[in-house]
Amino acid sequence: MPTVTSSMQGKICMVTGANSGIGKATALALAQMDATVVMVCRDRARGEEARSEITTTSGNNAVDLLQADLSSQQSIRQLVEHIQHHYTHLHVLINNAGAAFPGRRRETVDGLETTFAVNYLAPFLLTNLLLDALKASAPARIVNVSSAAHKSGSIQLDDLQAEKRYRPMRTYPQAKLAVVLFTYELARRLQGTGVTANCLHPGFVATHFAQSDGGSAVRLLVKVIGSFGASPQEGAKTSIYLASSPEVEGVTGKYFVKSIPRRSAAISYDESLQRHLWEQSAKLVNV
Ligand SMILES: NC(=O)c1ccc[n+]([C@@H]2O[C@H](COP(=O)([O-])OP(=O)(O)OC[C@H]3O[C@@H](n4cnc5c(N)ncnc54)[C@H](OP(=O)(O)O)[C@@H]3O)[C@@H](O)[C@H]2O)c1
């Protein structure tokens, strides 16, 4: 496996979903490399607990905690306003937060299907609102955590919100496929700016993922991953590599597994689909 760099001193790195699992392991590793780490968490108490553990373990006090519920567009916009006022630069954005809600169809406060909103529309909106900050900090990197599950996904452009037909086991793969399509379109749009965009599958990792929200099939899958899955530290390696390694300086528009570029699902390379999805997403989040 490719190596990881040892110093991120002077770099400001934001990690969403940083209180738990892969995101927490990613935030810790970046703190250990002396980066300034901005943890984005939805629950202040859980976030504080993780932040305290990270500062103690890393010996790095430059670890900030920002609270945001990524299922709410207003919360995302408030988060971005805070960042614009309090940070001079943003060198790395890791869109890691994710969740699966495989039971009944649920809607966010914005009236959007929740799995699609949290896993895909949130990174889409957050990234778009932070693009100027990232460009002004170039070289900068955007790292989107997708999943191998994207390979069983398809994009229903005429029913992104699954209003006509809700298939619980399809929403998460669709959202993670959308993350890959978004990453490729974003990388193309960012050509020449010094900002790269890549996505990844972290492996099957024993975390809190979908532990409380799944139906019986999902709970069984989560139990199996819990028994045989990799550690969060192992699962974070590709995110850390893409955020920090000089080996991927300038590399953009790729899907990584175990820190190696791999082919994503054939449909994810469809540029027309990438463009159409971007246009529809922009309308859904008003950017
Ligand atoms: N674990 C795996 O095997 C696996 C495989 C492929 C891809 N992934 C992806 O890896 C990423 C990290 O997942 P994980 O396995 O580390 O799971 P995890 O331990 O459940 O961590 C998910 C993180 O996302 C946060 N989050 C969820 N909904 C949020 C919201 N509305 N607003 C803000 N934060 C929110 C969670 O916060 P709370 O603690 O407050 O819930 C938590 O910090 C996800 O994108 C997931 O899809 C995981």
Side-chain angles (χ1 to χ4, degrees):
M1 185 181 284
T3 49
V4 162
T5 186
S6 56
S7 177
M8 287 288 280
Q9 202 159 32
K11 302 284 185 194
I12 301 178
C13 306
M14 185 167 144
V15 185
T16 66
N19 63 289
S20 169
I22 296 164
K24 182 173 156 193
T26 305
L28 172 60
L30 293 169
Q32 286 171 325
M33 292 179 208
D34 291 327
T36 293
V37 179
V38 183
M39 300 171 62
V40 176
C41 306
R42 77 172 141 177
D43 182 274
R44 182 155 293 282
R46 283 201 296 272
E48 270 303 345
E49 201 179 313
R51 194 185 76 86
S52 155
E53 198 183 315
I54 289 171
T55 52
T56 306
T57 309
S58 65
N60 179 351
N61 285 322
V63 180
D64 299 340
L65 171 64
L66 300 182
Q67 189 182 6
D69 180 347
L70 300 174
S71 70
S72 155
Q73 292 180 19
Q74 189 190 0
S75 185
I76 294 172
R77 288 177 186 278
Q78 284 168 348
L79 169 70
V80 170
E81 266 175 39
H82 182 95
I83 290 162
Q84 286 165 343
H85 281 103
H86 290 85
Y87 297 90
T88 50
H89 292 88
L90 181 63
H91 302 98
V92 176
L93 168 62
I94 304 183
N95 286 307
N96 164 82
F101 309 93
R104 66 183 169 80
R105 185 179 180 282
R106 300 175 199 198
E107 287 191 356
T108 66
V109 288
D110 302 304
L112 299 167
E113 193 283 314
T114 304
T115 302
F116 194 68
V118 172
N119 290 280
Y120 165 63
L121 287 173
F124 180 87
L125 176 58
L126 183 60
T127 305
N128 270 287
L129 295 177
L130 289 172
L131 277 185
D132 285 346
L134 288 156
K135 286 179 194 167
S137 311
R141 302 179 183 194
I142 298 162
V143 178
N144 293 330
V145 180
S146 178
S147 166
H150 85 273
K151 293 192 171 180
S152 61
S154 60
I155 301 288
Q156 307 300 323
L157 274 180
D158 62 343
D159 191 25
L160 285 177
Q161 299 309 312
E163 284 164 320
K164 292 183 198 158
R165 187 163 177 218
Y166 179 68
R167 289 174 293 179
M169 298 304 283
R170 295 288 178 90
T171 54
Y172 180 72
Q174 173 177 258
K176 290 301 190 184
L177 173 58
V179 170
V180 180
L181 288 154
F182 162 53
T183 305
Y184 294 164
E185 176 73 19
L186 179 64
R188 219 175 14 258
R189 290 179 182 230
L190 287 173
Q191 283 294 349
T193 63
V195 184
T196 59
N198 292 292
C199 57
L200 66 105
H201 167 57
F204 293 103
V205 188
T207 63
H208 291 139
F209 192 76
Q211 267 179 8
S212 55
D213 286 301
S216 54
V218 174
R219 274 204 296 273
L220 180 66
L221 183 65
V222 168
K223 223 172 175 177
V224 172
I225 292 175
S227 309
F228 300 104
S231 66
Q233 291 71 23
E234 193 62 32
K237 279 187 177 168
T238 306
S239 296
I240 299 160
Y241 175 73
L242 289 174
S244 64
S245 175
E247 290 174 8
V248 279
E249 185 78 58
V251 173
T252 193
K254 303 247 180 283
Y255 169 76
F256 285 77
V257 182
K258 292 195 171 168
S259 302
I260 293 168
R262 297 277 185 213
R263 267 194 80 73
S264 51
I267 194 176
S268 65
Y269 296 101
D270 181 336
E271 292 189 10
S272 161
L273 181 59
Q274 292 165 12
R275 251 191 326 274
H276 280 108
L277 177 66
W278 183 290
E279 283 157 13
Q280 289 217 22
S281 308
K283 283 185 198 146
L284 288 169
V285 298
N286 292 312
V287 286

